[in-house]
Amino acid sequence: MKLLPFIKAFLLPTLLLALTSSCKKEFSNDNYVAYFGGEVANPNNPYVLFCKNNEVIDTIPLNKDNTFFKKFDSLAPGLYSFKHEPEYQYVYFDKNDSIKVHIDSKDFDESIIFCGRGDQKNNFLMEMYLRNEKDKNNMFETFDYPLSKFNEHIDKTNKENQKFYASKKEEIKWSDEFDVYAKGIVKFPHYTKKEIYPMVHKIRTGEDVSSKLPKDYYNFREGIDFSNESLTDFSPFVMYLDHMLNNVGAINYHNHLSECDLELKMNINKLNIADTLIKNEKVKNIVLNNIAFRYLMEDQNVVNNKEFLKTYHKYSTDKSKKNEILKIGTAIQLLTDGKTLPEVQLIDKNGNTISSNAVIKKNTVFFFWSEKLNSHLIAVHKKVLALKTKYPNYEFVAINLDDNTEQWKKDLKKYNFSNITELKCANFEDLRAKWAITKVHRTLVVNADKTIKNGFTNMFEVNFEDQLK
């Protein structure tokens, strides 16, 4: 799509806004009116989501010409994000900004151009983001370098980015509030490289450089405000913090630990470090929740999950109804071996809603799939077809986790996996709350009397078939 029509279409209303604003001299002190709009080429869906701290503030519909526009009667200055699923990007608003953005969903990040009042600082963020992405893609071999060469390489890139930052700050003269993000998008990717170098270098070369690092190697950590609420939803900071906690929480001598127990110890270490490091209660809760959610997404050992959650509850003060960790923790307690599997509602191919209890008429294996994970979809069904022959005393039930019922039916016709009971999740939030479904690879094994034999397993585990004997 050519940008000229877009720019012309935007400049006219922007010019009118500027003219009307100049007639009033300036916005009044208590006026926080702001505007956000733009155009989406090759849209994936008919709307753009406008968000703050991962919460959707507004769903802005696309017009017939794929443009969108929203006037906010009162919009607090700060960092927001816009999503045209599955992609998202940041947009920063100062008081009374009027911003439009061009997006092409086929080349999302590279296509984004901001126009209007407030555009320069946002274009700076986008340019730095693209610089960082390009640099990240070229970093793999750099982690093989010896320490001195590695530092020389990343310091050169950092100096170039710092120079670019300084020139843009002088040119645009942005606010101190925005400068938190402008500095952050330059420094945190640099710090991230330093954090992951010892770990990645060891994996790629076999050399452990930890003992060879200079005493001042991690001195940059002392200048980071880990309790800054403004940074909790800013991905360069979140990514840095994740790598830093992985680095500091790592256990170097662990020959006596299984992989599962090692993950438990490392993640409990991360909780301990976060509690010590972060003084702001709100920020600490967000970080603890992030650590917990990522751990629970991966580890499906019910004993370890309980041990982990014990430490999590010791530090977290987030008792809100929105806290996903509390929901997952409650579900884990309900899924102990020997307990009755909680009832959920499912949908059959005819559109009828049925209870999971009605499905369990003999020993049953529930497994899950999504159209978005095509390779897993095929692999898990093929695995089940093989297992059905070996274990005729078991019923194998596939549950689709996607929202789109029509797409589910199309997929069933396309793949035609015969002799497998195919159902669809009626309410994913209810399923997640009751069965602790955090990833598609989960498998549940249930006895004929509806009691749980194993609520946390995976069909592709080496010893999975032992649970069917």
Side-chain angles (χ1 to χ4, degrees), residues 158-252:
N158 187 46
K159 285 177 183 176
E160 292 171 355
N161 288 339
Q162 290 286 355
K163 184 178 179 181
F164 178 64
Y165 156 81
S167 66
K168 287 297 181 181
K169 183 180 181 182
E170 175 63 27
E171 175 190 339
I172 300 171
K173 302 189 185 307
W174 53 56
S175 65
D176 291 342
E177 289 76 15
F178 175 76
D179 197 48
V180 171
Y181 303 106
K183 278 182 181 175
I185 204 167
V186 174
K187 68 182 181 181
F188 287 122
H190 178 66
Y191 295 164
T192 297
K193 295 173 197 173
K194 292 181 75 72
E195 292 287 355
I196 65 178
Y197 171 71
M199 295 180 285
V200 177
H201 185 78
K202 184 177 180 180
I203 292 169
R204 288 178 62 89
T205 69
E207 180 190 18
D208 188 348
V209 297
S210 300
S211 61
K212 301 176 184 178
L213 298 176
K215 290 183 178 179
D216 63 351
Y217 183 80
Y218 293 114
N219 277 4
F220 61 86
R221 291 175 182 167
E222 297 172 8
I224 300 173
D225 180 6
F226 290 99
S227 294
N228 189 336
E229 289 187 26
S230 300
L231 293 171
T232 54
D233 190 43
F234 190 47
S235 62
F237 172 74
V238 174
M239 185 175 295
Y240 165 74
L241 184 60
D242 185 48
H243 287 299
M244 187 276 289
L245 290 172
N246 283 336
N247 194 4
V248 180
I251 299 171
N252 295 320

Side-chain angles (χ1 to χ4, degrees), residues 321-340:
K321 292 181 180 179
K322 292 183 179 180
N323 189 344
E324 294 296 328
I325 310 307
L326 296 181
K327 296 177 184 177
I328 293 170
T330 300
I332 288 169
Q333 298 298 322
L334 295 173
L335 293 170
T336 304
D337 295 354
K339 287 189 176 181
T340 301

